[in-house]
Amino acid sequence: MQSWRERLYVIIFQSDTDAGRRFDKMLLLIIMASLLVVIIDSVESIHRDYAGLFAWIEWGFTLVFALEYLLRLYCSPKPLRYAFSFYGLIDLLAIVPGILAIYYSDAQYLMIVRVLRMLRIFRVLKLNRYLKQANYLLSALRGSRQKIIVFLLSVSTLVTVFGTLMYVVEGPEHGFTSIPKGIYWAIVTLTTVGFGDIVPKTPLGQVLSSMVMITGYSIIAVPTGIFTAELANAMRGEQQKHPCPECRKDNHEAAAAFCSRCGSALFNKRE
Amino acid sequence: MQSWRERLYVIIFQSDTDAGRRFDKMLLLIIMASLLVVIIDSVESIHRDYAGLFAWIEWGFTLVFALEYLLRLYCSPKPLRYAFSFYGLIDLLAIVPGILAIYYSDAQYLMIVRVLRMLRIFRVLKLNRYLKQANYLLSALRGSRQKIIVFLLSVSTLVTVFGTLMYVVEGPEHGFTSIPKGIYWAIVTLTTVGFGDIVPKTPLGQVLSSMVMITGYSIIAVPTGIFTAELANAMRGEQQKHPCPECRKDNHEAAAAFCSRCGSALFNKRE
Amino acid sequence: MQSWRERLYVIIFQSDTDAGRRFDKMLLLIIMASLLVVIIDSVESIHRDYAGLFAWIEWGFTLVFALEYLLRLYCSPKPLRYAFSFYGLIDLLAIVPGILAIYYSDAQYLMIVRVLRMLRIFRVLKLNRYLKQANYLLSALRGSRQKIIVFLLSVSTLVTVFGTLMYVVEGPEHGFTSIPKGIYWAIVTLTTVGFGDIVPKTPLGQVLSSMVMITGYSIIAVPTGIFTAELANAMRGEQQKHPCPECRKDNHEAAAAFCSRCGSALFNKRE
Amino acid sequence: MQSWRERLYVIIFQSDTDAGRRFDKMLLLIIMASLLVVIIDSVESIHRDYAGLFAWIEWGFTLVFALEYLLRLYCSPKPLRYAFSFYGLIDLLAIVPGILAIYYSDAQYLMIVRVLRMLRIFRVLKLNRYLKQANYLLSALRGSRQKIIVFLLSVSTLVTVFGTLMYVVEGPEHGFTSIPKGIYWAIVTLTTVGFGDIVPKTPLGQVLSSMVMITGYSIIAVPTGIFTAELANAMRGEQQKHPCPECRKDNHEAAAAFCSRCGSALFNKRE
């Protein structure tokens, strides 16, 4: 019995056996199918005709995910630790809206239930589990975090200053009804999105806009530049971080056998 | 006779002789001219006046391409293999709409025929054949494929999550009529295109938009960063991937004659 | 007494002690809170209901900043030098609008006072003081300044030429009412912002626009490319710029102990 | 006399003496002032009030540039070669519109003359002369030309294919009135400009648009990536291109003294 539970644990929680990988892939497909149903159901014209059918399908998915959740709780060696882990909570969140939909299905609370059902979208975050390939990118992201925070702070400052200036220059009669709106406009413009729902009308406002745009255009890939430099580092292999036995120099190329400063062997020679 | 067919084969299928290059260039010009005719013919005011003329020109191009296709079939040593190859099928697709236009030229099916004629645009894909220079770029693309897929998956997740959130927050009365529409908006915004046909109206929607825009702005050149790193690698020349006979070190510079770690010769010495 | 003043100086002006850091963080929080009040107060619906409350809060912030300013003047060893330094003037500018608001509070001058109050936004510039991490980015910016100026001049030329051409081609009836407007449009388009408030209507105008867009798209990350190259340099550590005593070779790797060309020691040998 | 003319030649044509530099700077200022006058004069409200004044200023600039042109012809050792050089023709173009404005000043041809006056904008191209710093960027551009052409061809193909598809899918009733219009839309979208004057309305059109946008977003900095790699090369110093006297290996690092393959000295040793 114990062994059966353990085998189940390996299949459900781990992904280094064939059965485990197959389970993960199937689960992924079911998650994506349930997402697709939510997305399609939101189209008004389809919802009108097939609301009942979709409710049944919804119900089926909730059942499947509930079963999966119970199985995970059952076969996990430490069920409580799983239940309160990040993925355990997300697994729970994937079931709750479906169950809530039974009790609060009258028209009045429909909107709220729909909001809760949207939480099912978080199932998609489970995808992360399958993306081992993302490690390179993540480690580069981690290495460039500090510089990117500095960059985002500078952008925030820029956006606040320009948003306020535009509010003062253009004023409410040209759509800049408040400073937050001005800041929103500055973000839309600096990021080169440019919806066009709020545009400067006065000459001074257009000069200021031009400055925002050229600034945004010039710094557009700075975070990427930082990120790329880190990625190149990660791909090139890390530097050896162990000190030279002679001159204590710290960093050496990944493949270095001898210290580049004093020439003494970094490791015991092989002969 | 056989030799005459072989000479034709060299001219039509290969491009390392003068005649072959001249044939390819001429064909390219004809393809582009036929494309231009399709494009110009689509302008309503021109079509009204010169519909007859364009039909005749169309007819001429179809004849030329049909002749070329038959010649290719005739001189190819393995006609069937050509006919079912990628380019063989495209060559066929370039003729079909012109021929179909004869039988189904009455007003009712005009639209459909026009759709078929559009397939002629695929002739442009033949251009690839002439772009040997593109190899560098393609090999860099191939090398960075995995990381770019991870990136595209992350973007898809982001876009789905934000599209759903915006649908919930803004709702149908502000243009977000369904989740697919919300996802479309999220793509328009994240890619910094920003058409402005759907824009957030509520404060919370504008805060969410700002997050989407800043995210899109920050990661805008990540695929390019990945791609550039690979391109730099490709341009620098690939590393030698064969192990050192002494110390088994795997990667060596392209021009290395000796192992950079233990100094033993990688290949038989030249003396 | 003198020692008490000195201790205050260390806390207020420096940030290498625990107390100094705590003071700086608290001040930062107060500055951001006062900014937030200005921003929220600018929303018409909120201002209508809570104008009185916000006036009081404003007043409190002005008092706090005035107190801080006087303390800085008091404990600074050279008060005049501080008063006329960049940050001294900004600290003063943070107080002035609040004080002016008392005397000119009648409805007629309200707008002007509001403009002055906007200057408080410059307090945010104090943030710079806390961003020691920004040094890397700034030094990279400094190194790439010349190339970026050349880039900005080229962009200005492009924008002027295309803005004028579009004014001539499209004319006032399609929104291009003057050359400055045309230049504004060219900036909006070249930077890929694309508000859509002015769009080309004539075929020739659309061809020209396409050229502007493709140009803007192609050069979008050039300043970043320049900047990234410099940043990579800055991160790799700077090259030694002192000449080899033997062969006068100028640049050496940061960690080089011997000239890479002639092998003579760059510095006095360590033995 | 001859010597006087030669001295003038040095001042006007060269910029390595103090007087030459001062002349170039002054000329640059005059050119920019004349441009500013053209730009400001195009604003309708200003033109109404000061048309006469601007005409006089225009006249003055034309005189100054004519004088400069004659001086250049006079002091140049080979006047004809100058007259037909690129800059000689531009210098002439800067004068012509001003002179034409005298004879054709009646209301009817006013528009045409204004067009001709716009050619004065080409004076700005003279700026290139002063930008020796641009050489780095230009040499990097030249090195990456071939790859960028391949990139632009791929983009053209993409834009043609997607523009045609959108014309077929969306049709004239949603603004896609012809294939050229569809191509224009595809350029606006692929370059992430997104004016919003033409937007997809059908679900299929929005799916296609999403593909165009994500493609454009993914390849946005490819030309820059190519360009940056070349620029980094240019800044790092070029590789030595002379063959090793022993093994004939072609490329060596800029600072290499010995062949990296066979170890023989590349140059005569200095001792």
Side-chain angles (χ1 to χ4, degrees):
Chain A
M1 184 61 195
Q2 181 68 14
S3 130
W4 165 246
R5 205 163 143 189
E6 271 173 5
R7 228 177 305 149
L8 203 67
Y9 173 76
V10 168
I11 291 176
I12 294 185
F13 277 94
Q14 295 178 346
S15 55
D16 32 17
T17 61
D18 263 7
R21 262 192 296 276
R22 224 174 298 130
F23 176 83
D24 281 357
K25 274 180 195 160
M26 222 184 58
L27 187 60
L28 187 61
L29 280 179
I30 297 176
I31 292 171
M32 286 174 69
S34 82
L35 278 175
L36 213 68
V37 166
V38 173
I39 289 175
I40 291 172
D41 191 25
S42 78
V43 180
E44 197 49 40
S45 61
I46 295 173
H47 182 75
R48 236 187 345 250
D49 296 349
Y50 302 99
L53 177 68
F54 279 120
W56 275 107
I57 296 174
E58 266 307 310
W59 185 239
F61 281 127
T62 304
L63 213 75
V64 169
F65 288 127
L67 213 77
E68 182 219 340
Y69 186 65
L70 291 177
L71 270 181
R72 279 185 192 270
L73 277 182
Y74 165 72
C75 74
S76 170
K78 294 170 182 170
L80 272 180
R81 207 176 130 193
Y82 160 69
F84 289 101
S85 71
F86 180 62
Y87 281 120
L89 291 171
I90 283 178
D91 290 348
L92 190 62
L93 273 176
I95 312 168
V96 169
I99 294 169
L100 283 177
I102 316 170
Y103 299 102
Y104 303 96
S105 62
D106 43 314
Q108 216 166 344
Y109 297 106
L110 206 76
M111 262 329 273
I112 294 154
V113 172
R114 196 180 279 172
V115 173
L116 290 169
R117 279 168 67 198
M118 294 313 149
L119 291 168
R120 185 164 298 169
I121 214 82
F122 285 111
R123 270 177 203 154
V124 100
L125 292 178
K126 280 185 171 178
L127 283 165
N128 283 327
R129 224 181 262 173
Y130 309 96
L131 297 174
K132 292 230 170 122
Q133 285 278 356
N135 270 348
Y136 258 133
L137 300 178
L138 279 178
S139 86
L141 254 182
R142 221 172 294 128
S144 52
R145 205 180 39 200
Q146 275 195 315
K147 289 201 203 62
I148 283 177
I149 285 174
V150 169
F151 174 78
L152 287 182
L153 280 178
S154 319
V155 164
S156 304
T157 309
L158 266 177
V159 155
T160 311
V161 170
F162 275 114
T164 309
L165 282 176
M166 288 301 284
Y167 167 66
V168 174
V169 166
E170 291 277 331
E173 63 272 25
H174 294 142
F176 293 80
T177 51
S178 63
I179 296 186
K181 201 107 184 186
I183 293 174
Y184 165 70
W185 174 88
I187 292 174
V188 169
T189 306
L190 191 89
T191 56
T192 77
V193 171
F195 281 135
D197 51 345
I198 315 173
V199 290
K201 298 272 165 51
T202 63
L204 184 54
Q206 291 177 346
V207 169
L208 275 172
S209 305
S210 301
M211 285 167 60
V212 178
M213 286 181 253
I214 287 175
T215 307
Y217 186 67
S218 297
I219 63 175
I220 193 166
V222 168
T224 305
I226 295 164
F227 173 81
T228 309
E230 294 285 341
L231 186 66
N233 260 346
M235 282 167 69
R236 205 190 313 133
E238 310 198 5
Q239 288 200 311
Q240 294 181 22
K241 292 261 178 201
H242 97 135
C244 165
E246 288 294 324
C247 73
R248 321 307 306 166
K249 179 170 175 293
D250 273 341
N251 292 312
H252 303 280
E253 291 172 30
F258 300 95
C259 174
S260 70
R261 181 183 279 270
C262 69
S264 43
L266 290 172
F267 307 99
N268 291 333
K269 282 180 196 138
R270 51 192 312 156
E271 79 288 2
Chain B
M1 182 63 195
Q2 182 69 15
S3 133
W4 164 246
R5 202 163 144 190
E6 271 174 5
R7 229 178 304 150
L8 204 65
Y9 173 75
V10 168
I11 292 176
I12 294 186
F13 276 95
Q14 296 177 346
S15 54
D16 33 17
T17 62
D18 264 6
R21 263 192 295 276
R22 226 175 297 130
F23 176 83
D24 280 358
K25 275 180 193 161
M26 222 184 58
L27 186 60
L28 187 60
L29 279 179
I30 297 176
I31 292 171
M32 285 173 70
S34 82
L35 277 175
L36 213 67
V37 166
V38 173
I39 288 176
I40 291 171
D41 191 24
S42 78
V43 181
E44 196 50 41
S45 61
I46 295 173
H47 182 75
R48 237 189 341 251
D49 295 349
Y50 302 98
L53 177 67
F54 279 118
W56 275 106
I57 295 174
E58 266 308 308
W59 185 239
F61 280 125
T62 304
L63 214 75
V64 169
F65 289 126
L67 214 76
E68 181 220 341
Y69 185 67
L70 292 177
L71 270 180
R72 278 185 192 271
L73 278 180
Y74 166 71
C75 72
S76 169
K78 294 171 181 168
L80 271 180
R81 206 176 131 194
Y82 161 70
F84 289 101
S85 73
F86 179 64
Y87 281 119
L89 291 171
I90 284 178
D91 290 348
L92 190 62
L93 274 176
I95 312 167
V96 169
I99 293 169
L100 283 177
I102 316 170
Y103 299 102
Y104 303 96
S105 63
D106 43 314
Q108 217 166 344
Y109 297 106
L110 205 76
M111 261 330 272
I112 294 152
V113 174
R114 193 180 283 173
V115 173
L116 291 169
R117 278 168 68 198
M118 295 311 149
L119 291 167
R120 185 163 299 167
I121 215 80
F122 286 111
R123 270 177 202 156
V124 99
L125 292 178
K126 278 186 172 176
L127 284 166
N128 284 327
R129 221 182 263 172
Y130 308 96
L131 297 173
K132 294 232 169 121
Q133 285 277 356
N135 271 348
Y136 259 134
L137 299 178
L138 279 179
S139 87
L141 253 182
R142 221 171 295 127
S144 52
R145 204 181 40 202
Q146 275 195 316
K147 290 201 202 63
I148 283 175
I149 286 174
V150 168
F151 175 79
L152 286 182
L153 278 179
S154 318
V155 164
S156 305
T157 309
L158 266 176
V159 154
T160 311
V161 170
F162 275 112
T164 308
L165 282 175
M166 287 302 284
Y167 167 66
V168 174
V169 167
E170 292 277 330
E173 63 273 24
H174 295 142
F176 293 80
T177 51
S178 63
I179 296 186
K181 201 109 183 184
I183 292 174
Y184 165 70
W185 173 89
I187 292 173
V188 169
T189 306
L190 191 88
T191 57
T192 78
V193 171
F195 281 136
D197 51 344
I198 315 173
V199 290
K201 298 273 166 51
T202 63
L204 183 54
Q206 291 177 345
V207 168
L208 276 173
S209 306
S210 301
M211 285 167 60
V212 178
M213 286 181 252
I214 286 176
T215 308
Y217 186 69
S218 297
I219 63 176
I220 193 165
V222 168
T224 306
I226 295 164
F227 174 80
T228 308
E230 294 286 342
L231 185 66
N233 260 345
M235 282 167 69
R236 207 189 311 135
E238 309 199 6
Q239 289 200 310
Q240 294 181 21
K241 292 260 179 203
H242 97 135
C244 165
E246 289 294 322
C247 73
R248 321 306 308 165
K249 180 171 175 291
D250 273 341
N251 291 311
H252 302 279
E253 293 172 29
F258 300 94
C259 174
S260 69
R261 181 183 278 271
C262 70
S264 44
L266 290 172
F267 307 99
N268 291 333
K269 281 180 196 142
R270 52 189 311 155
E271 79 287 3
Chain C
M1 184 61 196
Q2 181 69 14
S3 130
W4 164 248
R5 204 162 143 189
E6 271 174 5
R7 229 179 302 151
L8 205 65
Y9 173 75
V10 168
I11 291 177
I12 294 185
F13 275 94
Q14 296 178 346
S15 54
D16 32 19
T17 62
D18 263 9
R21 261 192 296 277
R22 225 175 296 130
F23 176 82
D24 280 358
K25 274 180 194 162
M26 223 183 59
L27 186 61
L28 187 62
L29 279 179
I30 297 175
I31 292 171
M32 286 174 68
S34 82
L35 279 175
L36 213 69
V37 166
V38 173
I39 289 175
I40 291 171
D41 192 24
S42 78
V43 180
E44 197 50 40
S45 62
I46 294 174
H47 182 75
R48 235 188 346 250
D49 296 349
Y50 302 99
L53 177 67
F54 279 119
W56 276 107
I57 296 174
E58 267 307 310
W59 184 240
F61 281 126
T62 304
L63 213 76
V64 168
F65 289 127
L67 213 77
E68 181 220 341
Y69 186 66
L70 291 178
L71 270 180
R72 278 184 193 271
L73 277 182
Y74 165 70
C75 73
S76 168
K78 293 171 182 168
L80 272 180
R81 208 177 130 194
Y82 161 69
F84 289 101
S85 72
F86 180 63
Y87 282 120
L89 290 172
I90 283 178
D91 290 348
L92 190 61
L93 272 177
I95 312 168
V96 169
I99 293 169
L100 283 178
I102 316 171
Y103 299 101
Y104 303 96
S105 63
D106 44 313
Q108 217 165 345
Y109 298 106
L110 206 75
M111 261 330 272
I112 294 153
V113 173
R114 196 180 279 172
V115 173
L116 289 170
R117 278 168 67 197
M118 295 312 150
L119 292 168
R120 186 162 298 167
I121 214 83
F122 285 111
R123 271 178 202 152
V124 99
L125 292 178
K126 278 186 172 177
L127 284 166
N128 283 328
R129 223 182 263 173
Y130 308 96
L131 298 174
K132 294 231 168 120
Q133 286 278 357
N135 271 346
Y136 257 133
L137 300 178
L138 280 177
S139 86
L141 255 182
R142 221 171 294 129
S144 53
R145 206 180 38 202
Q146 276 195 317
K147 290 200 203 64
I148 283 175
I149 285 173
V150 168
F151 175 78
L152 287 182
L153 280 178
S154 321
V155 164
S156 305
T157 309
L158 266 177
V159 154
T160 311
V161 170
F162 275 113
T164 309
L165 282 175
M166 287 302 284
Y167 167 66
V168 174
V169 167
E170 291 277 331
E173 63 273 25
H174 294 143
F176 294 80
T177 51
S178 64
I179 297 186
K181 200 109 185 183
I183 293 174
Y184 165 72
W185 173 87
I187 292 174
V188 170
T189 307
L190 191 88
T191 57
T192 77
V193 171
F195 281 135
D197 51 344
I198 316 172
V199 291
K201 298 273 165 51
T202 64
L204 184 54
Q206 291 177 345
V207 169
L208 274 173
S209 305
S210 301
M211 285 167 60
V212 178
M213 287 181 253
I214 286 175
T215 308
Y217 186 69
S218 297
I219 63 176
I220 192 165
V222 168
T224 304
I226 296 164
F227 173 80
T228 308
E230 294 286 341
L231 185 66
N233 260 345
M235 281 166 71
R236 207 190 312 134
E238 309 198 5
Q239 288 200 311
Q240 295 180 22
K241 291 262 175 200
H242 96 136
C244 165
E246 289 295 324
C247 73
R248 320 309 306 166
K249 178 171 177 290
D250 273 341
N251 291 311
H252 302 279
E253 293 173 29
F258 300 94
C259 174
S260 70
R261 181 183 278 270
C262 71
S264 44
L266 290 172
F267 308 98
N268 289 335
K269 280 178 195 145
R270 51 191 311 158
E271 80 290 358
Chain D
M1 182 61 195
Q2 183 68 17
S3 132
W4 164 247
R5 204 163 143 190
E6 272 174 4
R7 227 177 306 150
L8 205 65
Y9 173 75
V10 168
I11 291 177
I12 293 185
F13 276 94
Q14 295 177 348
S15 55
D16 33 17
T17 62
D18 264 7
R21 262 192 296 276
R22 226 175 297 130
F23 176 83
D24 281 357
K25 274 180 194 160
M26 223 185 57
L27 186 60
L28 186 61
L29 279 179
I30 297 175
I31 291 171
M32 285 173 70
S34 82
L35 277 174
L36 214 69
V37 166
V38 173
I39 289 175
I40 292 172
D41 192 23
S42 79
V43 181
E44 197 50 39
S45 62
I46 295 173
H47 182 75
R48 236 188 343 249
D49 295 349
Y50 303 100
L53 177 67
F54 280 119
W56 275 106
I57 295 174
E58 267 307 310
W59 185 240
F61 280 126
T62 304
L63 212 76
V64 168
F65 289 127
L67 213 77
E68 182 219 340
Y69 186 66
L70 291 177
L71 270 180
R72 279 185 193 270
L73 277 180
Y74 166 70
C75 73
S76 169
K78 294 172 181 167
L80 270 180
R81 207 177 131 193
Y82 160 70
F84 289 101
S85 73
F86 180 62
Y87 281 119
L89 291 171
I90 283 179
D91 290 347
L92 190 61
L93 273 176
I95 312 167
V96 169
I99 293 169
L100 284 177
I102 315 170
Y103 299 103
Y104 303 97
S105 63
D106 44 313
Q108 217 166 345
Y109 297 106
L110 206 75
M111 262 329 273
I112 295 153
V113 173
R114 195 178 281 173
V115 173
L116 290 169
R117 279 168 67 197
M118 295 311 149
L119 292 168
R120 185 162 300 166
I121 214 80
F122 285 112
R123 271 177 201 155
V124 99
L125 292 177
K126 279 186 172 176
L127 283 166
N128 283 327
R129 222 181 264 174
Y130 308 95
L131 298 174
K132 295 230 168 123
Q133 286 278 357
N135 271 348
Y136 258 133
L137 299 178
L138 279 178
S139 86
L141 254 182
R142 221 170 296 126
S144 52
R145 206 180 39 204
Q146 275 195 316
K147 289 200 203 66
I148 282 175
I149 285 173
V150 168
F151 175 78
L152 287 182
L153 280 179
S154 319
V155 164
S156 305
T157 309
L158 266 177
V159 155
T160 311
V161 171
F162 274 113
T164 309
L165 281 175
M166 287 302 284
Y167 167 66
V168 174
V169 167
E170 291 277 331
E173 63 273 24
H174 294 143
F176 294 80
T177 51
S178 64
I179 296 186
K181 200 108 185 185
I183 292 173
Y184 165 70
W185 173 88
I187 292 174
V188 169
T189 306
L190 191 88
T191 57
T192 77
V193 170
F195 281 136
D197 51 345
I198 316 172
V199 290
K201 297 273 167 51
T202 63
L204 183 55
Q206 292 177 345
V207 169
L208 275 173
S209 305
S210 301
M211 285 167 61
V212 178
M213 287 182 252
I214 286 176
T215 309
Y217 186 69
S218 297
I219 64 176
I220 192 166
V222 168
T224 305
I226 295 163
F227 174 81
T228 308
E230 294 286 342
L231 185 66
N233 260 346
M235 282 168 69
R236 207 190 312 134
E238 308 197 6
Q239 289 200 312
Q240 294 181 22
K241 293 261 179 201
H242 96 137
C244 165
E246 289 293 323
C247 73
R248 322 307 304 167
K249 178 171 176 291
D250 273 341
N251 291 311
H252 303 279
E253 292 174 30
F258 300 95
C259 173
S260 70
R261 181 183 280 271
C262 71
S264 44
L266 290 172
F267 307 98
N268 290 333
K269 281 180 197 141
R270 52 192 312 155
E271 80 292 355

